[in-house]
Amino acid sequence: MSKTNAQLAMQISRNTILGNIALSAFKLAAGLLGRSAAMLSDAVHSLSDVLSTVVVIIGIKLANQKADREHPYGHERFECVAAILLAAILCATGLGIGYGGLHTILSGSYGSISIPGKLALIAAVVSIVVKEGMYWYTRAAAQKIHSGALMADAWHHRSDALSSIGSFVGIWGARIGFAVLDSVACLLISLFIVKAAVDIFRDAIGKMTDRACGSELEAQLHATILRQEKVLGVDLLRTRIFGDKVYVDVEICVDRDAPLYISHEIAHHVHDAIETEYSYVKHCMVHVNPAGLTLNAAEMVSQK
């Protein structure tokens, strides 16, 4: 991630931290004054967003460090570590909220819970609007700079918006005489949170285990390579995700009679085209095969 992209990520994160602190305080007050367990759970979820964004900031700072002797390929995977920590925080938050709601339902103590006031209902609507806005705000930046950690944080905001919808339904149901719905809403909120945690975890693990890019991107890379002058074909194209960056390995086919310096020049053009056109490609390794003489692995073994 470039310095400019890292600065944008930091700015987005700082803005959402301030927004979440204000929103958490409002929802906490609304939950207490409005006597709503669902809104109190929602407030805890928003407060966990502050902690998760701090984790994202730390992850981005670490990922933005220059390559060194111990990490010659850079530190981009620290973003994945941040995303995994974020998933753990989300999961713990969701399970805690779910346990509270389930305990209230099974014990039957929801009958003694006071009916939530209008303030809790208003707070749920405000939360839905604000958190959905934060989701789109953070998501746009994450897509622009290809940040997995920032995208994970965006989904954290979306999960909070969804949980606020659950809060609204629970509070509204409790106000019309179904007090148990306030606790049921806590269970729904927990499911939203845990699902978001699982999705974030799976995405981060995929990036840490050299998962290939999607077929659409590989098709674009393939087309870019073939557009380069004197490239006769693509014998092999492999990609792997490394944090928020991509590594590309390609074997191109050129005229078998071309001098070495010409083959090298063709390979260099392919390398430059890939790294220039696709800013998130950290490195492109190009190997040259002479046309008509490419051997597959089985043939190479048989000849030995």
Side-chain angles (χ1 to χ4, degrees):
M1 184 182 295
S2 67
K3 185 176 181 180
T4 302
N5 287 348
Q7 289 173 340
L8 175 60
M10 293 300 173
Q11 180 184 346
I12 297 294
S13 297
R14 284 193 294 266
N15 290 344
T16 55
I17 283 177
L18 293 175
N20 276 318
I21 290 175
L23 186 62
S24 297
F26 174 61
K27 290 201 287 189
L28 185 62
L32 291 172
L33 297 175
R35 302 177 301 279
S36 170
M39 183 49 60
L40 289 174
S41 298
D42 215 2
V44 172
H45 188 188
S46 291
L47 198 58
S48 73
D49 279 0
V50 176
L51 178 59
S52 70
T53 305
V54 171
V55 172
V56 169
I57 288 176
I58 295 173
I60 290 175
K61 277 186 173 292
L62 292 174
N64 199 47
Q65 294 180 109
K66 293 182 179 180
D68 53 34
R69 185 173 178 278
E70 293 184 348
H71 302 88
Y73 293 98
H75 300 78
E76 280 83 0
R77 280 182 173 163
F78 275 112
E79 272 212 50
C80 300
V81 175
I84 290 174
L85 290 175
L86 172 57
I89 293 170
L90 263 175
C91 188
T93 302
L95 292 176
I97 291 173
Y99 174 79
L102 184 62
H103 176 73
T104 301
I105 293 172
L106 294 178
S107 65
S109 56
Y110 57 83
S112 61
I113 297 175
S114 302
I115 302 301
K118 287 185 179 180
L119 181 59
L121 203 62
I122 294 172
V125 175
V126 171
S127 178
I128 294 169
V129 174
V130 172
K131 294 304 296 188
E132 185 66 12
M134 284 188 181
Y135 164 74
W136 288 104
Y137 174 63
T138 308
R139 179 178 181 272
Q143 289 184 325
K144 181 177 180 180
I145 65 178
H146 303 283
S147 172
L150 206 58
M151 183 61 77
D153 206 28
W155 276 105
H156 198 168
H157 297 318
R158 166 59 67 83
S159 74
D160 206 359
L162 292 173
S163 72
S164 293
I165 293 176
S167 296
F168 177 85
V169 173
I171 295 167
W172 174 76
R175 283 180 57 79
I176 61 174
F178 297 95
V180 69
L181 287 182
D182 197 46
S183 297
V184 170
C186 290
L187 288 178
L188 293 177
I189 291 169
S190 72
L191 292 177
F192 284 131
I193 298 173
V194 171
K195 183 184 182 303
V198 171
D199 291 342
I200 291 169
F201 179 80
R202 290 178 61 186
D203 180 68
I205 290 297
K207 290 178 178 178
M208 292 189 75
T209 52
D210 290 340
R211 186 186 66 199
C213 297
S215 57
E216 183 178 347
L217 175 58
E218 291 193 349
Q220 293 173 358
L221 291 168
H222 193 277
T224 298
I225 295 167
L226 290 179
R227 282 200 301 268
Q228 306 312 305
E229 188 177 359
K230 298 181 181 178
V231 173
L232 302 181
V234 178
D235 293 329
L236 177 69
L237 175 63
R238 289 187 299 203
T239 61
R240 61 188 178 95
I241 300 174
F242 187 86
D244 66 331
K245 296 294 185 181
V246 172
Y247 278 89
V248 178
D249 295 319
V250 58
E251 292 185 12
I252 60 172
C253 186
V254 302
D255 186 352
R256 72 169 73 181
D257 297 321
L260 177 60
Y261 77 93
I262 293 294
S263 298
H264 174 76
E265 187 176 282
I266 296 170
H268 211 283
H269 285 161
V270 171
H271 170 276
D272 291 348
I274 293 296
E275 293 195 4
T276 300
E277 187 170 340
Y278 305 91
S279 60
Y280 44 86
V281 172
K282 183 171 183 178
H283 182 63
C284 176
M285 178 67 73
V286 184
H287 177 80
V288 177
N289 293 324
L293 296 181
T294 305
L295 298 177
N296 61 37
E299 291 172 333
M300 292 174 67
V301 171
S302 66
Q303 288 191 4
K304 290 181 180 179

